[in-house]
Every structure is written in structure tokens, then in C-alpha cells.
Amino acid sequence: MLPAMVFRQGLHHRASTLEHVLGVGGSSFVNCLNRYAAATGFIRISFLDIKQRRNWDVARLRLYADSKKHSLHLRTLQGRDLLQGVIDKQRAEFIERKNFLVDDIREARHKVQVRVREKIVEIREERENIMTIPNMLTISRAILSPYIGYVIVQGDFTFGMSLLAIAGVSDLLDGQIARRWPSQATKAGSFLDPMADKLLMGSLVISLCYTDLMPMWLAGIVVFRDVFLLAAGFVIRYISLPPPKTFSRYFDATHVTAQLEPTLLSKINTGVQLATIGLSLGAPIWNYLDHPALHGLWYLTGLTTAATALSYVMNRHNTFKIIQKKT
């Protein structure tokens, strides 16, 4: 395809050649083509076509040029349609990939949101309100325990007996309230209550042993068992605490991870220990020091205390329950 101006310049240089091939004046033929070139804007006629069709007149030549132009136009349209088809296909593939990526990102974001909500729910379920009436009574008893021991060491046995009675009443009340009103019962209380009892027992037996109101061997058995149970409680807390095991989460009382399941023998032993401590403390008040019944109660207390320690070791899987996460 040649522009009209370039085609004209080429024809001027080949005027003698056209005159020899066509047998007509080269200038008149070039003028004819120049007029047609000016009218159509471009001409696609090869010199080979002119040589093969030297006998054509101008009208037939014009029809031939028009057919060539129409053929070129059709091929141009076909090429454009083909190119447009390729572009549309590439665009469709791009849109499909884009939609796939967008859907994948949305799905991943949704999974992350769901997982975050599940974690929040798990954290809320793991935490509980420990500021309940039974827990407050238990904490008060634990705080009062060292003071009761101090009063006994000072020799004020009557006042010590009064404080012991108050501690015993608080122990009965927190259990009754937790059983009667389930909203006041907490998993943390299952650990706080026996820990407070151990602290009370330890303070009392040490002070009674110091004032010669209880034999040293019995005080040693009680203290050893309580220290053993306290150490086991710390180990259970570490085992049951889910990752990350940080210092703040370990001592976070609202983050409950295990629940203590006291045995029947331990409940009996607690009652026997309280009776022994109360009767031993009342001996100088009511004047029955070194009574044979008191000595027999000491041996019974030592036996039940040792038996409960062995039961915790042998049935350790039944004495506590790790709180599993809900899936």
C-alpha cells in the first residue's frame, strides 16, 4: 500500500517504462493515476499488475483498485476482530485471576476473623469472676491464719480459740453458699479453699507445737503433707496453663485452668485435723492436758494425714481436672 504522494514520485521516474509496456504515453497514464490517487487517498496497484493487465482501460483499472481496497479493508477488519478477540480473552483471564485472588483474600480474612472471635470467646470462657462471697470468706480466713498462730504463741489461748471458731464458721459458710447458689461457685474457689485450709492448719500446728500443746511428730506430718500439696498445686497450674506460659498469666487468678476434686478421705481428714487442733488448743483452757483421749486423737490425726497424702499420690489423675478448651 503506497501513499499517493510517494506513488506519484515513483511514477515520474518510471514514465519511460510505462510508455514501453502499455504502449501509451506515460505522462497521460500517470496523470490518470494521480487523479485517482487524489480521489481515493491511496492506491495499491503493483507494476506487475499493470504489466499483466496492460490492455485494461481506466474503468477496469479503477474497479480492480477498488476490489483491492475492499479486500484490504476486509483483512483489516479481520485483523482488528482477531486482535480484539485476543484482547478480550486476555482481559477475561485477567478478570478471572483477579476475582480468584479477591475471593481467596476474602476467604482468608474471614477465617482470620472467625479465629480471632473464637480466641476472644475462649479467653472470656477461661476467665471467671473470683470476687464472690465464698472466695472473700476464704481469702479472709487465709489472712487471719497467721494472726491466730501469733495469738497462740503469745499464750492467749482463749482469744485464739475465739478466732479459730470464727475461721471454722467462715469455712462452713463459704461451702454452704457455693453449694446453695451456683452463681457463687467458682473453679478458682476449688483451689483457694483447700489452700486457705492448709495455711490455717500449718499456722495452728506450728504454733501449738511451739507452745507444747501438740507433739512435734504430728506437726511435722501435717506440715509436710500441706507443703507437698501446695507444691503439687503449683505443678498442676504450670501443666494446665496453655501457651504462652508467662509469669503474669501463671499468677492470674481469673484465668482458671484446673479444678481440684477433693476425695472423701481428704474431707474426713480435714474434720479430724480441725477437731484435734480445737481440742489441743482447749486443753490449757479446760485443764485436760496429757489426757489419753487427746493422745489417741493425735495418733488418729497422723494416720489420716499420711493416708490422704498417699491417696493423692496413688489417685493423682482423679484428684484434679484440667479444664479443656472448647473446640
Side-chain angles (χ1 to χ4, degrees), residues 19-309:
E19 183 177 359
H20 174 73
V21 173
L22 298 175
V24 296
S27 60
S28 61
F29 183 75
V30 171
N31 291 334
C32 178
L33 292 180
N34 285 340
R35 288 194 300 271
Y36 184 71
T40 59
F42 60 90
I43 294 178
R44 191 175 185 276
I45 302 175
S46 65
F47 290 106
L48 181 60
D49 292 336
I50 296 174
K51 182 177 180 180
Q52 292 176 352
R53 297 166 179 82
R54 56 182 178 271
N55 297 323
W56 286 6
D57 55 9
V58 176
R60 291 183 64 187
L61 188 61
R62 182 177 297 175
L63 291 175
Y64 179 75
D66 290 340
S67 66
K68 288 289 186 178
K69 178 182 177 182
H70 181 67
S71 177
L72 176 63
H73 180 66
L74 291 178
R75 287 197 298 271
T76 302
L77 293 177
Q78 292 175 356
R80 185 181 64 184
D81 294 340
L82 180 62
L83 180 61
Q84 187 65 36
V86 173
I87 293 174
D88 292 342
K89 183 179 179 181
Q90 294 292 332
R91 182 183 299 171
E93 292 177 355
F94 174 77
I95 293 174
E96 183 179 359
R97 288 196 297 269
K98 184 194 72 173
N99 293 335
F100 177 78
L101 290 175
V102 170
D103 293 339
D104 189 45
I105 293 172
R106 288 177 180 173
E107 184 179 358
R109 184 176 62 181
H110 177 69
K111 290 181 179 179
V112 171
Q113 291 175 349
V114 170
R115 187 58 180 164
V116 169
R117 285 195 292 266
E118 290 177 353
K119 283 293 183 182
I120 292 174
V121 172
E122 289 177 1
I123 292 173
R124 289 177 178 175
E125 290 178 351
E126 289 173 357
R127 294 180 178 273
E128 63 179 0
N129 180 24
I130 63 171
M131 305 302 291
T132 60
I133 295 176
N135 288 345
M136 292 298 100
L137 291 173
T138 301
I139 294 173
S140 300
R141 185 169 69 255
I143 295 174
L144 185 63
S145 298
Y147 181 68
I148 297 175
Y150 172 77
V151 172
I152 294 174
V153 170
Q154 295 299 316
D156 194 351
F157 302 121
T158 303
F159 185 49
M161 179 66 73
S162 301
L163 294 178
L164 178 60
I166 294 174
V169 171
S170 70
D171 191 16
L172 293 175
L173 282 177
D174 62 20
Q176 290 295 324
I177 293 173
R179 284 187 289 270
R180 187 178 296 270
W181 290 280
S183 61
Q184 295 293 311
T186 61
K187 298 178 180 65
S190 66
F191 270 93
L192 290 176
D193 185 68
M195 293 301 174
D197 292 340
K198 302 299 179 292
L199 182 60
L200 177 63
M201 293 297 176
S203 301
L204 290 174
V205 297
I206 291 174
S207 60
L208 290 174
C209 181
Y210 181 81
T211 55
D212 295 328
L213 296 177
M214 180 178 288
M216 184 176 294
W217 62 266
L218 179 58
I221 293 175
V222 174
V223 171
F224 176 79
R225 192 205 71 149
D226 292 345
V227 171
F228 169 75
L229 294 179
L230 285 173
F234 283 108
V235 173
I236 292 171
R237 171 64 170 177
Y238 181 81
I239 294 174
S240 61
L241 184 67
K245 298 179 184 293
T246 61
F247 186 82
S248 59
R249 295 182 75 242
Y250 183 86
F251 289 99
D252 185 2
T254 63
H255 187 189
V256 181
T257 57
Q259 183 175 1
L260 187 63
E261 300 287 345
T263 62
L264 177 61
L265 183 59
S266 67
K267 294 179 180 179
I268 294 174
N269 177 69
T270 300
V272 173
Q273 283 184 350
L274 286 174
T276 301
I277 290 173
L279 292 174
S280 298
L281 182 59
I285 300 175
W286 294 297
N287 296 320
Y288 55 84
L289 291 172
D290 292 331
H291 195 279
L294 185 60
H295 284 269
L297 187 59
W298 288 344
Y299 286 110
L300 178 61
T301 304
L303 180 62
T304 57
T305 302
T308 54

